[in-house]
Amino acid sequence: AQSVSQHNHHVILSEAASLELGCNYSYGGTVNLFWYVQYPGQHLQLLLKYFSGDPLVKGIKGFEAEFIKSKFSFNLRKPSVQWSDTAEYFCAVNTPNFGNEKLTFGTGTRLTIIP
Amino acid sequence: DGGITQSPKYLFRKEGQNVTLSCEQNLNHDAMYWYRQDPGQGLRLIYYSQIVNDFQKGDIAEGYSVSREKKESFPLTVTSAQKNPTAFYLCASSIDLGSNSNQPQHFGDGTRLSIL
């Protein structure tokens, strides 16, 4: 079974700082990778996803993530964060073999941006 | 606007009581899911359903039950057998085109359940 690790539980940054949130997964086969964001008081929404093609994926609000197969990683990046990026971020993975029902989430990273 | 509606937003349960959480979607999605979110543990899958009148256990199904009588609705019952029910419950749905697993899930706003 696949698993997802997000080692950063809480990250605190100042506005305009660069962001990188780590995500590693533990499945050796083909994977689909997702980043979801949960803003305070709001529902989870999709930031970006990777399933094939260019390993550098661009999402909404200036976020991007790079799939590095050799490192089993899918880190989320943003060059310059804003106060409005304060939220909880979840990495998730599933495999085409198992379909959507086997979406496995990481434990989440809480991001706090200081104005 | 299409979306997922969960109700109520907050729910309190007495010891020994069953409670039912509502989830309705108007996205015409085939698949629906229930997750439990606890601090520091992320989201864990309770039950999922890929089609009406069919559902499967997820990773933490003990103490929970579901039904899928209509495509739009997937209610979750937290039974008295669930020993630690206090959590944030999230419902989700997806198109679920068979092996087309790269379609994202869409989430509701959640229900926070507390024990009195």
Side-chain angles (χ1 to χ4, degrees):
Chain A
Q2 67 261 26
S3 65
V4 180
S5 297
Q6 293 181 247
H7 301 295
N8 310 109
H9 299 295
H10 190 191
V11 173
I12 302 173
L13 294 172
S14 298
E15 274 192 310
S18 65
L19 169 72
E20 181 161 2
L21 301 182
C23 173
N24 289 90
Y25 65 93
S26 66
Y27 182 73
T30 302
V31 292
N32 300 316
L33 296 153
F34 306 81
W35 274 99
Y36 283 86
V37 60
Q38 189 174 31
Y39 297 105
Q42 296 187 29
H43 58 266
L44 261 80
Q45 53 188 285
L46 183 71
L47 262 183
L48 48 79
K49 66 177 183 180
Y50 168 83
F51 57 93
S52 66
D54 188 345
L56 183 62
V57 180
K58 295 195 183 298
I60 61 171
K61 304 189 180 187
F63 286 91
E64 65 179 31
E66 186 175 12
F67 170 51
I68 303 179
K69 190 173 181 180
S70 60
K71 295 185 178 180
F72 299 91
S73 71
F74 190 55
N75 292 355
L76 181 71
R77 301 194 294 246
K78 186 170 183 179
S80 175
V81 293
Q82 300 169 303
W83 177 80
S84 58
D85 293 325
T86 294
E88 189 148 19
Y89 293 80
F90 294 92
C91 182
V93 62
N94 70 4
T95 67
N97 291 338
F98 294 111
N100 210 338
E101 69 276 12
K102 290 297 184 181
L103 190 61
T104 301
F105 284 85
T107 53
T109 297
R110 186 154 61 101
L111 175 66
T112 301
I113 305 300
I114 301 170
Chain B
D1 282 345
I4 299 178
T5 302
Q6 288 187 244
S7 61
K9 193 168 184 176
Y10 299 96
L11 187 57
F12 298 91
R13 192 191 91 170
K14 292 182 181 178
E15 295 278 356
Q17 260 187 346
N18 293 352
V19 290
T20 297
L21 283 60
S22 170
C23 178
E24 303 276 331
Q25 55 101 356
N26 61 3
L27 299 166
N28 199 32
H29 285 170
D30 285 316
M32 297 186 74
Y33 314 81
W34 273 105
Y35 293 91
R36 172 180 169 139
Q37 186 178 11
D38 295 283
Q41 296 196 52
L43 278 72
R44 293 180 290 168
L45 183 65
I46 304 173
Y47 266 99
Y48 63 95
S49 168
Q50 291 185 289
I51 196 170
V52 173
N53 292 324
D54 184 59
F55 46 83
Q56 304 295 329
K57 291 182 179 180
D59 299 319
I60 54 164
E62 187 175 350
Y64 299 97
S65 65
V66 293
S67 63
R68 187 87 186 274
E69 296 177 4
K70 297 186 299 182
K71 187 175 183 177
E72 304 80 23
S73 178
F74 191 42
L76 172 75
T77 297
V78 184
T79 75
S80 56
Q82 171 50 241
K83 297 306 177 191
N84 185 24
T86 297
F88 191 53
Y89 291 88
L90 286 167
C91 180
S93 71
S94 67
I95 294 173
D96 191 32
L97 299 174
S99 61
N100 198 357
S101 59
N102 58 56
Q103 296 303 313
Q105 294 182 11
H106 298 255
F107 287 83
D109 288 337
T111 294
R112 190 166 297 281
L113 175 62
S114 301
I115 301 304
L116 295 177

